[in-house]
Amino acid sequence: MTFAARITGTGSAFPPNRVTNVDLANELAKLNVETSDQWIRERTGIVERRYADLSKDEIPNASLAAAAAEQALEMAGKTAEDIDQIIVGTCSPDTLLPSTACRLQHKIGARRAWAMDINAACSGFVYGVVTATQFIMTGQSRTVLVVGSEVLHPYLDWQDRGSCILFGDGSGAAVVERAPEDSPQRILSWNLSSDGQYGDLLRIPPFYSEENPFSDELSCKNSKMLMNGREIFKVAVRTLTQFALQVLDKNGFSIEDIDWFVPHQANQRILEAVAQRLKLPAEKVLINVDRYGNTSAATIPTILDEAVRDGRIQKGQLLLLDAFGAGFTYGAMLMRW
Ligand SMILES: CC(C)(COP(=O)(O)OP(=O)(O)OC[C@H]1O[C@@H](n2cnc3c(N)ncnc32)[C@H](O)[C@@H]1OP(=O)(O)O)[C@@H](O)C(=O)NCCC(=O)NCCS
């Protein structure tokens, strides 16, 4: 017997510390790095982002994930004890070991669940929902908590004004549950892919000392994000468009059938270019990059949660999720809400 899967609850959490473009420009000026509110707004659409307070919490990623998860569970009418499986999409875990998913499991008291992280960078949430769906379809799991969660700002290179202005911290969660195979409300289909040839366009090297493996000193300065923004921009526009069209085609839908386009929030100009190529009206594109920047795996679940809670997303509507991230990883998904 096979089943379908559907999202029954969503949640999101951001650190309270709001960093506007002006705040960031002032901080960068102290490092002799020049930027401005105007440049950031015009080139990215970002106005502000949030940074977790690392001095107050040793595991800020797991804490944000727990806050988002609790909201999602409440919306779904579930408790932590109901969860069979936890998947956290993250590329900025609080610790390499243990996983953020295990930290989260402990924090919310999901004692029955088994837990793992997925590192698919900004595609982590979509990869997580697809993985959850597989376990649900085969009957292995009934209730899966999927979270996209990042505290990326400690990895930013403040000398690189092209990348450090883009990213923020945040967490978004979804409860994915078993549904009857013919349920009208369900995850309909997806298209995942990866292409390692673009690995060096966006990377965070490890922080050990390469010169002396026996050194006690970890070389944190090496562990900063390296990004080729211009090249990523081109690949992102091309592949987001291509994956969206492929997943629509696979299901016999056309772009007019879409009620909401839920893309990864990397840069407002990328979203505009993709919408234009897809011939999708701007009103159908969900956007939060202006307020939170690029929160990597958290962008899609947080904007999804916002639109569910404010009533834009309604039962029966068709949603197209579309992600790309370092790796490169790609993932598009269609669901009937
Ligand atoms: C990074 C990005 C914002 C840069 O915007 P862009 O319009 O491509 O700008 P360019 O890199 O061509 O740089 C144009 C100029 O602005 C300058 N510049 C870059 N960042 C700047 C900043 N924060 N403030 C002011 N000037 C800046 C550059 O130095 C360059 O100056 P030059 O012409 O004198 O050399 C854009 O390429 C982008 O968003 N790429 C995608 C990145 C991404 O999505 N990463 C995450 C993937 S999940």
Side-chain angles (χ1 to χ4, degrees):
M1 183 157 184
T2 59
F3 302 94
R6 60 178 280 240
I7 293 178
T8 54
T10 58
S12 53
F14 293 97
N17 181 25
R18 210 181 275 271
V19 180
T20 65
N21 291 341
V22 174
D23 297 333
L24 189 54
N26 288 338
E27 286 301 319
L28 293 181
K30 295 178 197 165
L31 304 170
N32 294 320
V33 175
E34 194 191 324
T35 188
S36 67
D37 177 44
Q38 189 188 356
W39 192 96
I40 301 171
R41 278 179 198 249
E42 284 176 7
R43 299 297 182 108
T44 71
I46 297 167
V47 177
E48 58 184 42
R49 73 287 290 142
R50 307 290 183 93
Y51 292 162
D53 186 345
L54 306 177
S55 70
K56 293 217 174 97
D57 190 347
E58 280 183 7
I59 49 169
N61 188 330
S63 299
L64 286 170
E70 272 158 9
Q71 290 178 15
L73 286 168
E74 193 186 350
M75 189 189 286
K78 295 280 167 190
T79 69
E81 297 274 355
D82 296 321
I83 304 169
D84 300 314
Q85 184 182 349
I86 296 176
I87 301 172
V88 176
T90 188
C91 59
S92 54
D94 296 313
T95 47
L96 287 181
L97 301 169
S99 67
T100 305
C102 285
R103 299 271 197 200
L104 169 62
Q105 180 216 16
H106 179 62
K107 264 187 176 279
I108 62 174
R111 279 173 295 185
R112 290 182 44 251
W114 64 274
M116 67 169 179
D117 284 1
I118 289 182
N119 181 352
C122 305
S123 306
F125 178 75
V126 173
Y127 272 44
V129 174
V130 171
T131 307
T133 302
Q134 298 293 336
F135 278 91
I136 289 171
M137 286 173 74
T138 55
Q140 295 285 309
S141 299
R142 190 181 278 271
T143 305
V144 186
L145 175 65
V146 181
V147 186
S149 192
E150 306 283 5
V151 175
L152 260 174
H153 88 268
Y155 297 98
L156 300 177
D157 180 353
W158 306 111
Q159 298 295 331
D160 178 9
R161 61 183 180 169
S163 63
C164 71
I165 51 137
L166 292 175
F167 295 87
D169 304 338
S171 188
V175 174
V176 188
E177 281 192 73
R178 179 189 289 184
E181 202 178 4
D182 57 354
S183 168
Q185 289 178 280
R186 69 192 154 93
I187 291 160
L188 297 167
S189 129
W190 53 86
N191 190 7
L192 300 187
S193 183
S194 305
D195 191 348
Q197 72 169 309
Y198 297 119
D200 284 340
L201 291 187
L202 181 54
R203 64 195 167 101
I204 301 177
F207 49 78
Y208 48 76
S209 167
E210 281 148 351
E211 293 84 37
N212 178 6
F214 300 107
S215 165
D216 279 342
E217 285 186 23
L218 295 176
S219 176
C220 292
K221 69 175 176 1
N222 291 337
S223 193
K224 293 287 179 184
M225 180 182 288
L226 299 163
M227 187 184 89
N228 181 336
R230 236 178 264 185
E231 282 309 305
I232 293 174
F233 196 103
K234 288 186 238 164
V235 180
V237 171
R238 178 163 49 79
T239 55
L240 283 171
T241 308
Q242 177 191 331
F243 278 76
L245 290 174
Q246 278 172 359
V247 81
L248 284 170
D249 193 44
K250 198 165 154 185
N251 287 273
F253 286 116
S254 68
I255 202 73
E256 292 78 36
D257 297 315
I258 298 300
D259 292 297
W260 294 108
F261 184 50
V262 195
H264 170 51
Q265 314 275 311
N267 180 325
Q268 174 115 22
R269 282 166 49 225
I270 293 179
L271 303 186
E272 286 165 1
V274 173
Q276 199 181 16
R277 280 168 174 71
L278 290 173
K279 300 191 174 50
L280 194 68
E283 313 83 73
K284 289 189 173 184
V285 184
L286 295 181
I287 290 181
N288 70 1
V289 70
D290 51 335
R291 286 159 290 145
Y292 303 111
N294 180 347
T295 55
S296 189
T299 65
I300 288 180
T302 54
I303 187 64
L304 189 65
D305 178 53
E306 181 178 310
V308 168
R309 284 179 191 272
D310 69 20
R312 273 176 290 171
I313 294 179
Q314 293 284 324
K315 185 175 170 185
Q317 289 186 330
L318 191 64
L319 273 52
L320 171 55
L321 279 53
D322 202 4
F324 78 96
F328 272 5
T329 55
Y330 314 108
M333 171 181 275
L334 267 180
M335 63 177 78
R336 181 73 68 188
W337 197 257

